[in-house]
Amino acid sequence: METLDKKRRRSGAQRVRSLELLMVLVAIFAICVMVWTAMSITDLLPVMAVAGIIFTLCVAVIIRLIMDPDSVRARQTESMLQLSSQMIDLMQGGMTNRSAQSICELLLPSTAAIAVAITDRQTIQGYAGYLESENPAGAQIRTQATHDTIADGKSRVMYTPQEIGFPEGATRIKAAILVPLIAGREIRGTLKFYFDSAKKITETQKSIAQGFGKLLSTQIAAVEMEAQRELATAMELKMLQSQINPHFLFNTINTIASFIRTDPMKARTLLREFAVFYRSTLENSQDRIPLEREIQQTARYFSFEVARFGDERLELVLDADDHAGSLSGPQAVADVLEMPDGESVMVPPFLLQPLVENAVKHAMPAEGKLTVTLRVRADGDDLLLVVADDGTGMTDEERTRIMNPNSQTGLGIAAKNVHDRLRGFFGSAASMAVESEPGCGTTITLRLPGSAQRV
C-alpha cells in the first residue's frame, strides 16, 4: 500500500505534467496564430505581438518547470521507484539467467551506460547493450576487475579500459562501475555498468549503481530466506509424519481385531478407512491441501477413536455455516465446505487433526462424553478455524506452557508445530489463540488472514 508521502509526490508530479502539457498546447496555439497573422493580407500586428508574448511566456514556464529542482527530483524518484518495483517483480523466483537478462534490459535505458551486466561468481547471467551477442548467459567471466570485486566484495569505479581489464583500443568500453551482490555475508556476484567515456560516470550514475546493487542483494537474500522457510516447513511436516503415535496405531489395530468376531462388517469398514487414513497421512506432503480434505482426515481419525471408546464417550461435531452435524466418520464430509466456483480454501496439512488428537488424549474426562466441535467462520476477510472441546480444560499455567516456543511436552510440540506452520503459510497476521478453564473445556482458534473471500 502506498504511503501518504508517496501519494503526494505522485500527485504533485501529475500536476506538473498536466501544467507542462497545457503550456505546450498554448505555445503551439500561439505559433499557429503568429503564422496565420504573418500570412494574412490584413494588418494584424497587435494580434501577432500578443501571440508572440504568450508564446514567450509559455516557453519560459515550460523551461522553469523542467529545470525546477523539485520537479527534477520528483521525476527521478518516480522513475527509480517504478524501476525498483519492476525489478522486484522479476526477482520473485530468484536470480536466474532469465531474470538477470530481463533486469539488465530494464536498467540499460535508465543509465548513461552502453552495457549492463549481471554475473554470479563464475559466469555471466545477464548482459544487455554493446557486445551483447558476445556475452551470452553462461559465458565465463573474463575481466580481472570482476574477479577482484567477487574476491574482496568492494565496489569499483574504473576510468580506463586497463583498470577494467581490456587492452587499449580493443573495445568502445572506456570506463565501468562494478558493484558486488551480497546476500548475508557471502558475495553472490556483481552488477556492472559499462560506459564509452569516463566523463559519463557522474555522482548520479554512481548512486544508481550502488542503489540497484543493494536492491538486488536484498532481494536475493529475501528469496533465499523464503526458500529456507519453505524447506524448514517441509522438514517439520516430514517430522510430524514420522512421529505418528505408535500407541494410536496399536490401539486401532487391536480395536479392529476385536470387531472381527463381533461385527465383521464394521471391522472391514474400519480397516478400509484405516488404510485410506494412513495412505493420506503419508502422502500429504504438498504445501497445501483443500480444507475439506483436512476435515475428512480429521473425521477419519476420530472414527477410530469412537470405535475404540464408544459413541457414549466421544462425539465430533462440525459447525460450518450452513453445514452442521455430528461426524463420527468421514461420511457427509466430501461435499462439505465446497466452494461455489469449485475451488477450496487451501491450508497446510495436519492443521486440525493434531489439535483434535490432543483433545482426545488430554481432555477426555474420566466419566461421561467428550464432545469436540470444529467450527469454520468468516471474520471480515479472515477465516477462523475453531477446535473446541468440553473436556477437562487447562490451568493458565498449563495453557501458557503449551504456547511457549520452547515447549517440549507432547501437547506443546503439537501446538507449536501447528502455530509455526500457520504463520509460515499465512504470514505474521496469522494467529493461534488458546482459551481454557479447568472443568470447562478448551477452545483453540486459528486465524487465516485473507481466506474468507474464498469461502
Side-chain angles (χ1 to χ4, degrees):
M1 184 179 294
E2 287 187 323
T3 64
L4 181 60
D5 188 46
K6 287 182 180 179
K7 290 182 178 179
R8 286 174 177 171
R9 287 200 301 266
R10 178 169 296 180
S11 177
Q14 290 173 345
R15 286 196 296 270
V16 169
R17 285 196 296 270
S18 299
L19 184 56
E20 289 176 353
L21 179 60
L22 177 61
M23 291 298 100
V24 169
L25 293 175
V26 173
I28 293 173
F29 177 74
I31 291 175
C32 293
V33 171
M34 287 189 291
V35 172
W36 175 73
T37 55
M39 297 176 61
S40 177
I41 59 176
T42 59
D43 185 11
L44 297 174
L45 185 59
V47 175
M48 179 178 289
V50 172
I53 293 171
I54 293 174
F55 174 76
T56 303
L57 290 174
C58 288
V59 171
V61 171
I62 292 171
I63 293 174
R64 176 68 179 84
L65 290 173
I66 293 175
M67 300 303 294
D68 179 62
D70 288 338
S71 177
V72 172
R73 283 194 294 269
R75 294 172 190 274
Q76 291 176 339
T77 300
E78 185 176 6
S79 176
M80 292 301 104
L81 287 173
Q82 289 178 349
L83 274 175
S84 299
S85 177
Q86 291 174 300
M87 287 172 60
I88 290 173
D89 289 341
L90 291 171
M91 283 282 291
Q92 292 298 321
M95 184 63 83
T96 62
N97 288 351
R98 176 178 294 182
S99 63
Q101 182 63 33
S102 298
I103 291 170
C104 290
E105 294 171 356
L106 182 67
L107 290 178
L108 183 61
S110 303
T111 71
I114 60 172
V116 177
I118 294 175
T119 74
D120 56 22
R121 293 183 62 87
Q122 289 86 30
T123 62
I124 296 170
Q125 288 189 286
Y127 191 106
Y130 175 65
L131 296 180
E132 181 174 338
S133 61
E134 298 180 18
N135 293 276
Q140 293 293 314
I141 296 172
R142 295 189 294 271
T143 58
Q144 185 58 44
T146 305
H147 288 294
D148 292 342
T149 297
I150 291 172
D152 60 22
K154 296 180 180 179
S155 298
R156 284 175 165 77
V157 180
M158 294 153 288
Y159 296 95
T160 65
Q162 289 78 12
E163 288 182 86
I164 302 172
F166 295 135
E168 180 67 33
T171 175
R172 280 178 55 202
I173 297 175
K174 306 300 181 184
I177 301 175
L178 268 69
V179 179
L181 301 179
I182 303 174
R185 297 183 179 180
E186 186 177 348
I187 301 168
R188 301 302 175 86
T190 62
L191 171 64
K192 304 190 287 186
F193 294 83
Y194 291 125
F195 302 85
D196 58 4
S197 171
K199 295 179 180 179
K200 292 185 178 179
I201 299 183
T202 62
E203 291 302 318
T204 298
Q205 296 299 311
K206 294 178 186 178
S207 297
I208 289 174
Q210 291 289 345
F212 284 125
K214 290 180 180 178
L215 177 63
L216 289 176
S217 296
T218 300
Q219 193 62 19
I220 290 172
V223 170
E224 291 182 354
M225 286 181 63
E226 178 66 16
Q228 290 174 1
R229 183 199 64 77
E230 292 178 355
L231 178 60
T233 301
M235 292 293 290
E236 286 183 357
L237 181 57
K238 289 296 184 183
M239 289 179 62
L240 193 64
Q241 290 172 317
S242 66
Q243 291 175 352
I244 297 172
N245 192 334
H247 294 293
F248 167 70
L249 174 63
F250 297 140
N251 289 335
T252 303
I253 291 175
N254 288 334
T255 299
I256 295 173
S258 69
F259 279 109
I260 291 177
R261 288 188 178 181
T262 59
D263 194 342
M265 289 301 296
K266 187 170 184 177
R268 182 180 301 176
T269 300
L270 285 173
L271 188 60
R272 182 176 61 249
E273 292 300 331
F274 193 59
V276 174
F277 173 82
Y278 262 89
R279 185 182 302 112
S280 181
T281 296
L282 298 174
E283 290 177 354
N284 274 347
S285 58
Q286 306 101 313
D287 282 347
R288 303 189 191 194
I289 62 173
L291 177 57
E292 65 264 24
R293 188 188 302 176
E294 176 66 11
I295 293 178
Q296 282 181 325
Q297 189 72 346
T298 303
R300 283 195 178 94
Y301 157 77
F302 207 84
S303 68
F304 307 134
E305 298 290 27
V306 169
R308 177 187 173 195
F309 291 103
D311 295 335
E312 68 282 359
R313 293 281 283 148
L314 280 176
E315 182 182 10
L316 179 66
V317 175
L318 175 64
D319 181 9
D321 294 332
D322 295 335
H323 301 85
S326 177
L327 293 175
S328 60
Q331 66 274 9
V333 182
D335 59 345
V336 82
L337 298 175
E338 191 69 23
M339 302 301 107
D341 57 358
E343 296 183 357
S344 173
V345 176
M346 303 300 287
V347 300
F350 301 102
L351 193 66
L352 298 175
Q353 182 197 326
L355 303 179
V356 172
E357 186 172 352
N358 275 338
V360 174
K361 290 169 61 178
H362 301 282
M364 186 181 296
E367 296 180 357
K369 178 186 285 190
L370 173 70
T371 300
V372 180
T373 302
L374 296 181
R375 297 191 184 97
V376 182
R377 290 287 185 270
D379 182 21
D381 291 335
D382 298 347
L383 187 68
L384 301 182
L385 304 181
V386 181
V387 178
D389 68 68
D390 57 359
T392 57
M394 291 182 287
T395 63
D396 288 341
E397 182 182 354
E398 291 172 325
R399 181 179 59 82
T400 302
R401 187 165 58 246
I402 70 164
M403 292 300 293
N404 189 313
N406 298 319
S407 176
Q408 296 299 315
T409 65
L411 180 58
I413 291 174
K416 178 182 182 300
N417 186 285
V418 170
H419 180 258
D420 289 349
R421 289 188 299 117
L422 184 70
R423 295 284 293 268
F425 281 100
F426 292 99
S428 58
S431 63
M432 181 175 73
V434 179
E435 299 176 6
S436 188
E437 186 176 341
C440 297
T442 300
T443 299
I444 300 178
T445 303
L446 307 180
R447 179 176 294 273
L448 282 56
S451 299
Q453 64 268 24
R454 298 196 295 274
V455 177

